[in-house]
Amino acid sequence: MEKIYVLDTNVLLHDPMAIYAFAEHKVVIPMTVLEELDEIKDRRDKDVSREARLAINIIDKIVGDASPKELQNGVPIHTAETEQVAKTFGTLAIFPDQQITNIDNVPFLNGNHHHANDNRIINVALSLQATNPRASACLVTKDINMRIKAKGSGLERVEDYRKDKVLDDVDLLNKGYVHIEGRLWDGISNVETESHGSHTVHKIKKTELPDELYLNMFVIDDEEFSGFVVNIDEEFIYLVDVNRQSLMHQSFWGIEPRNLEQAMAFYLLRHENSDMMIMTGPAGSGKTLLALAYGLHVTMEEKRFNKIIVARSTPPLAEDIGFLPGTEEEKMAPWLAAFDDNLEILHGSDEHSVSSIEYVKQKANIQFKSLNFMRGRSFNNALIIVDEAQGLTQFQLKSIVTRVGVNSKIIVLGNLAQIDNKYITPLTSGLTYLVERCKPFKYTSIMHVNGIERSRLAEFAEENL
């Protein structure tokens, strides 16, 4: 059966390359979608306007010099790389939805109110369903309410855009460690142990350990064993034996780990062969505090970096921070209060805590940045901390990570349970994408910090409210 996919505007804004995601099937773009893209491409919101322009350019490239009739019937979709027609791609058609007329037994939605554009797009799918009985017409939209409206209007097939789903279940997200129930060595038939200076390395066959192991991951069990993956070849995995007590007695800037996940995060932060550290976990698990304590330690004591750059998205997502008087740091203050709170934790007991915090900010050269103004720049000799990354798209996080320059390190923090972007879910978040795409990269480390250390009330709220 032929499949016809009608794309909503938000799909093309979410992924301008979405046209290529429907294999050999027909993709239909309503005229209303083109009008919305045209309006959005000039908005001040740079991310959204950029994606609208990219989507328009891709459509223009596919359309080429096709005649009006060819365009309404469908033109072949070319690959993104070449002008050759790909067998796995179908056709792209533009539907003049302003010309929709009544069809017997098809209850079209009224277009004369503030939901007019959504209704016109739904009407396109209803029209195609009525006029193509041997085909399957499907509306693809990120808007949940629009999907409900379309079904309620009689449309048989309505779908979310799933191409950007990184995982089938967020529980499968890499945590940075693998837990073995019981005692690890009870399930190992053969192991070679070698000493390299002060380190003990266990050489174990891949077949005797879980499949999901990558470099810079931990293997822990219930009997106090902690192993760190330092090498993987075709047949063996090499684990450095990390003493559990040594893990728990690490310290950065006067802060010590309160649970094993924090201790492993400390170890990974200290690991010099890592250009990027990704920390996920619930609110109150200590992600921001650990990152900041590490940043002060390596900047002020070890002198590894010249500055600490603290950044996060601003609602509306990555929108300009405005033209009112004030420095970028002053404008970002409401959204970066969490870092001030953590600086108070680190220096709140000082005799002159306010002076200490200001001194640390200046001495460590802590700079607060809006993510919208990080693009196009290159940060050298810097530690970059990106907070609340769960609300960023895959494209946005990629554009941030590519800003990391020479002798720099980036720490990405996020809680997938606190996404406030209506078009992003834990399965499509840029944070999930970053974890899954970077887990095989040997210069990346990942840790899911699970324990709630803020308060017993915060722990109850995270688990029960």
Side-chain angles (χ1 to χ4, degrees):
M1 177 183 288
E2 180 191 8
K3 293 182 180 179
I4 304 172
Y5 292 96
V6 179
L7 304 191
D8 190 11
T9 311
N10 54 48
V11 172
L12 293 173
L13 293 177
H14 188 75
D15 180 8
M17 304 290 288
I19 293 171
Y20 298 106
F22 297 92
E24 72 277 11
H25 306 297
K26 185 175 185 177
V27 175
V28 173
I29 297 179
M31 193 69 69
T32 297
V33 169
L34 293 179
E35 292 172 352
E36 288 189 332
L37 290 174
D38 187 58
E39 179 184 347
I40 293 169
K41 69 180 174 62
D42 295 321
R43 282 187 186 175
R44 279 178 49 202
D45 189 334
K46 296 179 181 179
D47 285 318
V48 175
S49 61
R50 182 190 300 114
E51 287 159 3
R53 290 193 298 271
L54 180 57
I56 292 169
N57 289 334
I58 290 171
I59 294 170
D60 177 65
K61 183 177 180 181
I62 295 172
V63 169
D65 56 357
S67 67
K69 186 175 181 180
E70 290 173 332
L71 190 52
Q72 292 183 15
N73 291 332
V75 296
I77 296 176
H78 299 87
T79 63
E81 295 79 18
T82 70
E83 291 299 324
Q84 300 298 318
V85 177
K87 293 181 180 179
T88 55
F89 291 145
T91 58
L92 170 67
I94 305 298
F95 193 105
D97 51 84
Q98 71 276 14
Q99 298 179 9
I100 289 180
T101 58
N102 291 331
I103 300 175
D104 291 341
N105 300 320
V106 179
F108 287 122
L109 295 178
N110 189 340
N112 297 322
H113 53 76
H114 62 283
H115 292 298
N117 286 355
D118 285 356
N119 290 353
R120 290 192 189 103
I121 295 169
I122 293 173
N123 287 342
V124 169
L126 289 170
S127 176
L128 290 169
Q129 179 177 267
T131 56
N132 296 270
R134 295 187 178 182
S136 174
C138 177
L139 172 65
V140 183
T141 176
K142 302 292 294 178
D143 188 330
I144 297 174
N145 192 59
M146 191 172 174
R147 294 202 293 268
I148 297 172
K149 284 173 60 178
K151 286 183 179 179
S153 302
L155 191 60
E156 295 291 336
R157 289 192 60 209
V158 184
E159 293 180 4
D160 186 8
Y161 180 64
R162 300 191 181 94
K163 170 95 172 23
D164 58 347
K165 269 181 63 174
V166 184
L167 293 169
D168 292 328
D169 191 328
V170 74
D171 290 336
L172 300 175
L173 186 68
N174 187 288
K175 293 183 177 181
Y177 65 91
V178 170
H179 177 254
I180 307 293
E181 294 186 2
R183 186 171 179 269
L184 169 69
W185 303 116
D186 291 341
I188 305 297
S189 59
N190 188 26
V191 59
E192 296 181 25
T193 301
E194 303 173 351
S195 294
H196 296 271
S198 59
H199 300 294
T200 300
V201 179
H202 305 292
K203 181 180 176 183
I204 305 172
K205 283 190 175 183
K206 280 184 176 181
T207 54
E208 300 196 78
L209 288 170
D211 294 334
E212 61 268 25
L213 280 175
Y214 296 91
L215 287 175
N216 302 331
M217 286 183 65
F218 280 90
V219 178
I220 59 175
D221 67 9
D222 296 326
E223 300 290 332
E224 297 293 311
F225 175 79
S226 302
F228 183 65
V229 181
V230 291
N231 190 25
I232 300 176
D233 59 26
E234 293 183 359
E235 190 175 356
F236 295 97
I237 292 177
Y238 300 79
L239 297 178
V240 169
D241 197 323
V242 182
N243 183 275
R244 185 74 62 90
Q245 294 301 317
S246 297
L247 272 179
M248 297 303 299
H249 285 90
Q250 299 173 94
S251 177
F252 284 138
W253 209 250
I255 297 295
E256 294 185 355
R258 294 188 178 184
N259 55 51
L260 183 57
E261 286 95 340
Q262 284 190 1
M264 292 187 289
F266 268 68
Y267 189 92
L268 292 174
L269 285 167
R270 194 186 297 274
H271 190 46
E272 293 186 1
N273 197 29
S274 175
D275 298 333
M276 178 167 65
M277 169 77 174
I278 307 170
M279 271 195 282
T280 62
S285 56
K287 304 182 297 296
T288 306
L289 182 63
L290 296 187
L292 189 56
Y294 166 78
L296 295 177
H297 176 80
V298 294
T299 304
M300 296 183 67
E301 291 188 6
E302 296 184 359
K303 309 293 184 183
R304 281 183 56 190
F305 305 109
N306 295 335
K307 55 193 172 186
I308 299 173
I309 295 173
V310 177
R312 62 159 290 177
S313 61
T314 56
L317 187 63
E319 189 173 328
D320 290 343
I321 57 176
F323 297 99
L324 294 175
T327 64
E328 183 178 359
E329 180 177 342
E330 290 170 342
K331 293 177 180 181
M332 290 294 295
W335 294 294
L336 292 167
F339 284 89
D340 282 332
D341 293 342
N342 283 284
L343 281 172
E344 287 184 15
I345 293 173
L346 295 171
H347 290 278
S349 60
D350 293 359
E351 184 175 352
H352 301 287
S353 59
V354 175
S355 299
S356 295
I357 291 171
E358 290 304 317
Y359 172 78
V360 166
K361 282 185 178 180
Q362 294 179 11
K363 192 70 175 176
N365 193 12
I366 300 178
Q367 302 176 14
F368 297 98
K369 299 290 182 184
S370 169
L371 294 180
N372 200 37
F373 294 98
M374 291 181 68
R375 295 176 180 85
R377 301 183 61 185
S378 182
F379 296 100
N380 300 314
N381 302 307
L383 176 69
I384 304 160
I385 302 175
V386 179
D387 197 17
E388 303 292 344
Q390 71 275 2
L392 298 174
T393 66
Q394 300 171 11
F395 172 79
Q396 286 171 326
L397 260 181
K398 176 183 176 180
S399 65
I400 294 164
V401 173
T402 54
R403 300 298 99 212
V404 180
V406 178
N407 190 36
S408 290
K409 182 172 182 174
I410 185 169
I411 302 174
V412 182
L413 312 174
N415 176 12
L416 290 170
Q418 293 186 333
I419 296 176
D420 54 9
N421 186 320
K422 63 182 179 180
Y423 295 133
I424 292 178
T425 68
L427 297 178
T428 63
S429 168
L431 181 62
T432 304
Y433 174 79
L434 193 67
V435 169
E436 287 303 299
R437 284 299 182 94
C438 293
K439 65 185 181 183
F441 183 54
K442 64 180 181 179
Y443 300 112
T444 293
S445 51
I446 299 162
M447 182 52 57
H448 180 76
V449 187
N450 200 26
I452 310 293
E453 301 297 339
R454 184 169 288 165
S455 69
R456 59 192 179 191
L457 176 60
E459 182 176 3
F460 171 81
E462 183 72 25
E463 295 176 357
N464 298 283
L465 298 186

